[in-house]
Amino acid sequence: MYEQNCVPFAPSLIESMRSLGYSFPSAIADLIDNSISAKADEITILSEPSVDPWMVIFDNGCGMSKDELYEAMRYGSKNPLDKRECDDLGRFGLGLKAASLSQCRRLVIASKKDNKISAYSWDLDFVIEKGAWVLKCFSDEETKEYIHIEMLDKVKTGTYILLENFDRVKESTADINTTFNKNLSDMENHIALVFHRFIEEGLTIKLNGMKIEGRDPFLSTNPATQKKRESSFYVNNEKITLKPYVLPHLSKLKQEDLDKLGGKEHIRNEQGFYVYRNKRLIIWGTWFRLERKDELNKLARVRVDIPNSLDYMWAIDIKKSTASLPDMIKKNMFNAVYETVLNSEKVYTYRGRKEKNDKNIEVIWEKIKMRDGYKYVVNRKIPQLKLLVETMEPEQIKLLDSAINGIEEAFPVNALYVDVAKGTIEERDKKEIEDVWEELQIQMDYVKSKGLHIVEYYKAFMNTEPYCNYDEIKKRIQKEIENNE
Ligand SMILES: Nc1ncnc2c1ncn2[C@@H]1O[C@H](COP(=O)(O)OP(=O)(O)O)[C@@H](O)[C@H]1O
Ligand SMILES: [Mg+2]
């Protein structure tokens, strides 16, 4: 055996790396990730659409020394398997180069640290000419030539990126100006959404002098948005947090809010999970096929927060544009969705308000006030159903839900009306106490066998029909609660 080095051929590999599938907005978002990881609080994007457009992305982050910048320019500068700072948005050590050069043929970076400016460039045509991984390095004098480079003078530390020769845009259109402008506006929308939580927390991102406003997909500051209880679960000791939201009914929203949501006609398509990795939105508007994108669910959105330490489970790709979901996490997420979706359904279909009852009792048939009258629906919160849902598989929950929907829809309103009018409805006899108790015990046996919270269930049953209608049953439940507490 003997060893032989097998170095990749630079011109071909660097060209292949351009085809990872970055879109214009996702490429620039990847550069902004780097600025955020570098603790920048102000990022400036400058660009001028023309027949030969350019773009500058400037940040006041920690900057890089010459050696650090050289490392950063190297393809695969970091090992994807390395443990990262918990707020690091990077992973593969490729974004800076691959994202930039997916859109253009020349990337120049100048960075300032310890009062020194260092500058390097990857130039595709130069790599082809040399047939090797050769960087261009610039002297201070040469660096001064670059457009808007003077911004580096105004900060203690920071990084300047210049993208030039946007060949992808040039190839795709005869009207570069218009296409580039469209790219800029798509990019602005993308940034406003993907980084909205950083923007809310004080990060400034400016495009040609104008601040980009964050787009909160949950309208969480709107008082009419229903914010559901946050829940969380652990995967390999790492916490995943879910927070469901139900958007206000569309008729209650101002144009400004509708714009934030991406326009009225897109709202249905944007329902679903919103998955954030370290507060950076990665994937959104999908139920991962756990649920249909139903008209009825269109107001439901679930915020999911995952730490970057779980990257290996989520199969984050280099562009950070897809994240696939392991089965073990699906079920937990679905339970959070179940409630949101159902509630959203109520907001949408019934557009009504629940009739209040005096005693804090969970009735089985809820009366919902509609614009022109009332509707009766089965209360999904009763413990009889909760008990089932808690131990069912997602597919079974869907079946149960369709069954209940069917029952609600088939509610014989007209027949009932006629029968009541004729006085031919027979009042049901109150059941024997022992029968009611036995029925409750069947359910409580299940609670116990599944290790669910006994007292919590007894308390819920005590305030739910039909049990709340029997004093004797309530007394017995009270005793059970005392015995178990
Ligand atoms: N704007 C920036 N400011 C400071 N350091 C940066 C900046 N951009 C990139 N870097 C450095 O370059 C490295 C490589 O970046 P990149 O190719 O995007 O890969 P990754 O983000 O996965 O580490 C980063 O890990 C970081 O150390
Ligand atoms: Mg990066």
Side-chain angles (χ1 to χ4, degrees):
M1 200 270 293
Y2 66 97
E3 290 173 13
Q4 193 172 359
N5 258 358
C6 187
V7 181
F9 183 50
S12 324
L13 191 60
I14 209 166
E15 189 61 42
S16 313
M17 294 299 290
R18 305 187 73 195
S19 309
L20 287 168
Y22 278 104
S23 63
F24 190 95
S26 65
I28 308 304
D30 219 344
L31 299 179
I32 294 182
D33 277 346
N34 287 341
S35 301
I36 293 175
S37 298
K39 312 259 186 298
D41 64 10
E42 187 158 340
I43 299 166
T44 305
I45 305 170
L46 296 168
S47 182
E48 223 167 82
S50 69
V51 283
D52 192 12
W54 50 265
M55 182 182 270
V56 166
I57 297 129
F58 175 80
D59 71 55
N60 65 352
C62 61
M64 288 171 271
S65 66
K66 194 172 170 64
D67 289 348
E68 286 166 342
L69 181 55
Y70 173 81
E71 269 313 308
M73 290 302 262
R74 192 205 289 270
Y75 276 72
S77 51
K78 299 226 168 144
N79 186 335
L81 302 178
D82 284 351
K83 199 167 165 21
R84 293 267 184 151
E85 294 269 326
C86 65
D87 56 356
D88 194 340
L89 297 174
R91 169 60 47 187
F92 295 96
L94 282 173
L96 176 62
K97 300 67 84 170
S100 307
L101 296 175
S102 71
Q103 305 302 314
C104 67
R105 297 191 72 78
R106 191 140 75 118
L107 152 72
V108 178
I109 308 193
S111 200
K112 182 172 175 184
K113 192 174 181 178
D114 301 328
N115 258 328
K116 282 194 208 94
I117 293 176
S118 336
Y120 284 105
S121 159
W122 274 123
D123 183 330
L124 289 181
D125 298 312
F126 189 65
V127 172
I128 291 168
E129 186 192 317
K130 296 281 165 186
W133 298 98
V134 186
L135 277 174
K136 285 183 179 172
C137 326
F138 302 110
S139 67
D140 284 354
E141 274 315 298
E142 287 166 327
T143 309
K144 284 200 185 100
E145 301 288 305
Y146 287 108
I147 188 159
H148 295 304
I149 190 79
E150 71 286 350
M151 285 191 290
L152 270 181
D153 298 336
K154 297 190 190 112
V155 293
K156 238 180 134 217
T157 56
T159 299
Y160 162 98
I161 295 178
L162 170 65
L163 308 179
E164 283 179 313
N165 195 353
F166 282 85
D167 62 334
R168 293 291 198 232
V169 183
K170 287 184 195 164
E171 285 158 11
S172 72
T173 173
D175 184 355
I176 300 169
N177 227 320
T178 311
T179 309
F180 200 79
N181 250 324
K182 167 85 172 59
N183 280 345
L184 286 185
S185 104
D186 289 349
M187 174 196 84
E188 182 175 358
N189 268 324
H190 185 80
I191 290 174
L193 179 63
V194 163
F195 298 107
H196 77 95
R197 287 166 75 180
F198 294 98
I199 296 174
E200 281 153 24
E201 286 172 14
L203 172 69
T204 301
I205 306 178
K206 282 187 188 159
L207 172 59
N208 289 332
M210 296 278 285
K211 235 175 162 175
I212 298 182
E213 298 292 336
R215 271 174 58 200
D216 167 12
F218 312 108
L219 298 181
S220 49
T221 54
N222 188 317
T225 296
Q226 295 177 44
K227 299 170 194 87
K228 306 285 168 183
R229 195 149 42 95
E230 194 172 277
S231 61
S232 59
F233 57 93
Y234 285 83
V235 177
N236 294 348
N237 292 328
E238 305 288 347
K239 193 172 176 185
I240 293 182
T241 314
L242 292 134
K243 185 161 178 72
Y245 293 84
V246 181
L247 299 175
H249 193 270
L250 300 189
S251 63
K252 287 191 199 145
L253 293 178
K254 295 194 208 105
Q255 189 56 43
E256 181 191 328
D257 287 334
L258 290 170
D259 290 345
K260 262 194 205 156
L261 296 174
K264 203 170 183 169
E265 61 287 3
H266 297 300
I267 285 175
R268 172 177 172 167
N269 205 34
E270 303 280 275
Q271 62 181 283
F273 291 113
Y274 281 66
V275 184
Y276 294 80
R277 169 177 176 262
N278 292 0
K279 292 195 208 152
R280 194 265 209 215
L281 186 58
I282 294 190
I283 191 163
W284 62 93
T286 171
W287 294 120
F288 296 112
R289 287 200 224 121
L290 284 169
E291 184 64 55
R292 267 178 306 139
K293 275 198 183 172
D294 209 303
E295 180 68 19
L296 295 177
N297 303 332
K298 74 181 200 176
L299 301 174
R301 298 181 174 198
V302 183
R303 193 183 78 194
V304 184
D305 278 306
I306 53 171
N308 62 355
S309 47
L310 285 175
D311 279 2
Y312 66 97
M313 298 210 72
W314 286 78
I316 302 282
D317 76 350
I318 291 170
K319 310 185 295 294
K320 307 188 188 86
S321 61
T322 57
S324 55
L325 188 68
D327 277 349
M328 61 185 290
I329 297 177
K330 273 187 187 169
K331 197 175 167 202
N332 288 296
M333 287 176 67
F334 188 81
N335 287 342
V337 172
Y338 177 73
E339 232 214 72
T340 333
V341 167
L342 287 173
N343 278 301
S344 155
E345 198 167 315
K346 278 183 195 153
V347 173
Y348 192 72
T349 351
Y350 308 122
R351 224 194 279 178
R353 111 185 110 73
K354 268 197 216 172
E355 287 296 281
K356 281 212 182 84
N357 65 42
D358 358 306
K359 292 180 229 133
N360 261 340
I361 293 269
E362 291 288 352
V363 292
I364 293 185
W365 284 95
E366 278 182 322
K367 186 175 174 180
I368 308 277
K369 174 111 178 73
M370 307 291 295
R371 195 179 292 154
D372 304 316
Y374 296 98
K375 234 178 200 181
Y376 282 88
V377 297
V378 172
N379 179 2
R380 259 65 164 194
K381 293 219 177 75
I382 53 174
Q384 292 94 319
L385 283 177
K386 197 170 159 241
L387 186 55
L388 285 173
V389 169
E390 226 163 352
T391 52
M392 276 162 104
E393 293 299 321
E395 291 77 20
Q396 296 170 313
I397 298 177
K398 274 196 230 173
L399 286 178
L400 176 69
D401 197 35
S402 343
I404 297 173
N405 282 339
I407 294 169
E408 287 172 347
E409 232 157 84
F411 189 79
V413 185
N414 293 330
L416 191 68
Y417 177 77
V418 174
D419 289 338
V420 170
K422 282 199 212 149
T424 52
I425 288 280
E426 201 177 302
E427 278 273 329
R428 280 183 192 238
D429 291 334
K430 261 199 165 183
K431 277 193 188 159
E432 290 297 324
I433 293 293
E434 291 315 322
D435 292 343
V436 178
W437 184 245
E438 196 187 314
E439 201 183 279
L440 177 60
Q441 286 313 306
I442 292 172
Q443 300 181 77
M444 287 310 299
D445 285 346
Y446 191 69
V447 170
K448 288 170 201 162
S449 75
K450 294 290 171 190
L452 300 169
H453 205 293
I454 299 172
V455 172
E456 203 175 276
Y457 267 95
Y458 266 128
K459 282 183 179 164
F461 276 121
M462 186 140 81
N463 294 318
T464 303
E465 288 180 326
Y467 309 104
C468 60
N469 297 332
Y470 295 86
D471 287 339
E472 172 60 23
I473 297 289
K474 288 203 315 199
K475 239 186 260 164
R476 290 189 193 181
I477 293 180
Q478 188 55 44
K479 217 189 233 161
E480 290 292 336
I481 291 176
E482 280 157 21
N483 289 344
N484 282 287
E485 235 163 13

